[in-house]
Amino acid sequence: MKTSWLQIPENSDFTLYNVPFGVIKINSNYYAATCIGDTAINLFELAQLGAFKSIKGFNKNTLNQQYLNDFIALGKQITNAVREEIINLFDEKNGAQKQQFAKALLKLTEAKNTLPIKIGDYTDFYSSIDHATNIGKMIRDPANALMPNWKHLPVAYHGRASSICVSGHSFYRPKGQKKPADADAPIFGQTNLLDFELETGFIIGKSTTMGDSITTQNASDYIFGKVLFNDWSARDIQTWEYVPLGPFLAKNFASTISPWIITIEALEPFKVEGYKQIPEVLPYLQYKGFDNYDINLEVIIETQQGVQTSVCQSNYKYMYWTMTQQLAHHSVNGCNVNVGDLMGSGTISGPQPHEFGSLMELTWKGANPIKLNDGTERKFINDNDSVIIKGYAQKGNIRVGFGECKSTVLPTK
């Protein structure tokens, strides 16, 4: 078991098996960072103190920028070497270096996290079969919940990158057109059916050229890491607008990501077998071996008074379409991807009711309200509620977590 000379509390998300990457702001300056236990590590300062000198092709100035894009673009050979050196430097056996690197350390609670990547493009998939089935039963036909194409390709839409914010932000309840069931014409007003969506996202780590395609065999070379993701949804606005072209105002007002990017390499021990896909998918979507991940996920609603209630416990392993399939499909037509692009998983629901990844499902479109720990009920999210998403993977003594993804809803502006 790997242990560190830094203190790592029991059940910490940020063990020496993890070593994620993010960006912190100190005064008016931005620095690439990682965290181990309760300690944040300024990687630019660590480089100034002598780390990473032996890594060929490494440029420490990529650690002194507002976003990680240029660091990620150095390539996995370099970024993985940086991560491995961090693991070695902070291993318990190297505790004699504690004083040498003290200047690069600060308390995790004092580290101001900022958006870790400059997101050029954002695509959101619809890849959980339980979620798609639940939604289809509610708004279409219970006997034919899935659209005819759903088991043949990873359905997705292109979203809005400008309104993706880092954990800890707040946003105003959105407004838009709605058409009540008993109305003859649409009305304008605030959404009354504001919902969270339990998702993860993956970050593109290698760019392609227009015309090139990524395969399921090499897709992992293009995936830098994963984050938690909440793709907020205004269900009443969405119901009216989504035909024929899909989500628009119902989704583009706010999305939330966790601040620490967990590398794909750190998640390698938690790979599991994916769904048996029937009917058999086309050759470009086929893959071999284990291509899914066992990641425990939880959603918590926190009231304005600070009372928390866990409302969902799900797992990433319930994804029908894998990340490599999503990326292969995204690029099969020659669409280019760029470092820093974000790909959302789509809402992650499991087969059991407590595993449903949205209030739309948990309350079955409001018919079955959830009782919170303060005695109040929720059909959908109230003003001043916060939603917290947590996630971690564990196998024996190896634990890798994501921290949290939190945001708060303010009354309509």
Side-chain angles (χ1 to χ4, degrees):
M1 182 177 175
K2 293 179 180 178
T3 55
S4 174
W5 50 266
L6 290 171
Q7 184 176 1
I8 303 178
E10 187 177 1
N11 293 326
S12 170
D13 281 351
F14 305 119
T15 65
L16 212 55
Y17 294 96
N18 193 345
V19 187
F21 292 100
V23 174
I24 59 175
K25 187 176 182 181
I26 301 176
N27 298 321
S28 59
N29 298 312
Y30 296 89
Y31 303 101
T34 190
C35 53
I36 297 173
D38 291 336
T39 303
I41 303 166
N42 181 332
L43 296 182
F44 180 73
E45 189 64 48
L46 200 66
Q48 295 282 77
L49 296 171
F52 317 129
K53 286 183 177 179
S54 63
I55 300 175
K56 187 177 181 180
F58 174 69
N59 179 1
K60 69 179 181 181
N61 291 323
T62 60
L63 304 176
N64 189 23
Q65 298 182 19
Q66 184 173 354
Y67 302 107
L68 291 173
N69 296 51
D70 286 349
F71 170 69
I72 294 172
L74 293 174
K76 285 200 173 192
Q77 185 174 349
I78 293 175
T79 59
N80 284 343
V82 168
R83 179 172 170 270
E84 289 299 324
E85 183 162 338
I86 294 168
I87 292 171
N88 183 59
L89 288 175
F90 291 93
D91 190 288
E92 188 175 42
K93 66 185 179 184
N94 291 318
Q97 296 175 307
K98 186 173 183 178
Q99 294 304 315
Q100 179 184 349
F101 297 122
K103 192 177 177 182
L105 310 180
L106 66 159
K107 291 181 180 179
L108 188 59
T109 53
E110 297 174 355
K112 179 177 174 54
N113 287 101
T114 61
L115 193 68
I117 48 171
K118 185 173 180 59
I119 305 169
D121 281 300
Y122 153 52
T123 299
D124 195 40
F125 287 88
Y126 188 54
S127 292
S128 162
I129 191 168
D130 294 293
H131 173 68
T133 300
N134 289 337
I135 297 299
K137 286 179 178 178
M138 273 186 271
I139 68 175
R140 281 191 294 274
D141 179 2
N144 296 285
L146 296 178
M147 295 295 283
N149 65 352
W150 200 90
K151 287 189 174 182
H152 293 275
L153 57 85
V155 175
Y157 73 95
H158 290 282
R160 183 73 180 176
S162 65
S163 53
I164 299 174
C165 300
V166 75
S167 177
H169 77 106
S170 56
F171 63 91
Y172 297 102
R173 179 177 293 269
K175 298 171 283 189
Q177 285 194 28
K178 308 172 290 181
K179 186 179 180 299
D182 57 354
D184 295 327
I187 61 173
F188 177 82
Q190 71 173 30
T191 178
N192 295 317
L193 307 181
L194 184 62
D195 200 358
F196 63 79
E197 290 193 347
L198 168 61
E199 301 194 26
T200 66
F202 67 87
I203 310 300
I204 296 297
K206 184 180 178 181
S207 299
T208 63
T209 302
M210 283 183 65
D212 291 341
S213 298
I214 298 168
T215 68
T216 55
Q217 288 72 44
N218 68 5
S220 59
D221 296 338
Y222 293 84
I223 301 173
F224 179 71
K226 286 178 70 65
V227 293
L228 300 175
F229 189 60
N230 184 352
D231 185 30
W232 289 92
S233 295
R235 300 298 186 187
D236 41 4
I237 296 173
Q238 183 178 4
T239 301
W240 172 236
E241 74 175 7
Y242 84 99
V243 177
L245 295 180
F248 186 35
L249 299 188
K251 297 251 189 193
N252 68 4
F253 57 91
S255 297
T256 312
I257 67 170
S258 52
W260 299 106
I261 303 173
I262 313 304
T263 65
I264 289 299
E265 288 72 25
L267 293 170
E268 185 68 23
F270 312 105
K271 276 194 166 184
V272 293
E273 188 174 7
Y275 271 77
K276 184 172 181 59
Q277 296 177 331
I278 302 173
E280 185 177 61
V281 298
L282 292 173
Y284 79 95
L285 289 170
Q286 294 174 8
Y287 64 90
K288 295 180 180 179
F290 287 6
D291 201 32
N292 213 334
Y293 295 84
D294 183 2
I295 303 171
N296 299 293
L297 299 166
E298 180 183 22
V299 182
I300 296 166
I301 294 177
E302 181 181 276
T303 66
Q304 187 175 14
Q305 291 71 34
V307 178
Q308 294 188 353
T309 305
S310 178
V311 298
C312 167
Q313 304 85 41
S314 192
N315 195 296
Y316 184 81
K317 68 184 179 182
Y318 295 131
M319 294 292 291
Y320 186 89
W321 295 103
T322 70
M323 288 187 290
T324 59
Q325 289 179 310
Q326 291 171 339
L327 194 48
H329 182 67
H330 197 303
S331 63
V332 73
N333 65 344
C335 173
N336 57 316
V337 297
N338 294 303
V339 170
D341 286 355
L342 175 66
M343 308 289 175
S345 64
T347 305
I348 303 166
S349 294
Q352 301 301 317
H354 70 277
E355 297 170 326
F356 294 170
S358 67
L359 284 176
M360 183 79 163
E361 299 163 89
L362 288 165
T363 70
W364 210 253
K365 207 176 179 179
N368 305 309
I370 291 175
K371 190 169 184 178
L372 303 187
N373 288 332
D374 65 352
T376 63
E377 291 184 339
R378 292 294 183 276
K379 296 179 180 180
F380 290 92
I381 296 297
N382 286 0
D383 288 346
N384 301 307
D385 282 348
S386 298
V387 172
I388 303 166
I389 298 176
K390 295 183 178 182
Y392 72 92
Q394 186 151 0
K395 186 176 182 180
N397 292 324
I398 302 175
R399 182 182 169 108
V400 171
F402 289 76
E404 68 176 30
C405 174
K406 179 179 181 178
S407 44
T408 303
V409 182
L410 302 177
T412 297
K413 189 173 183 179

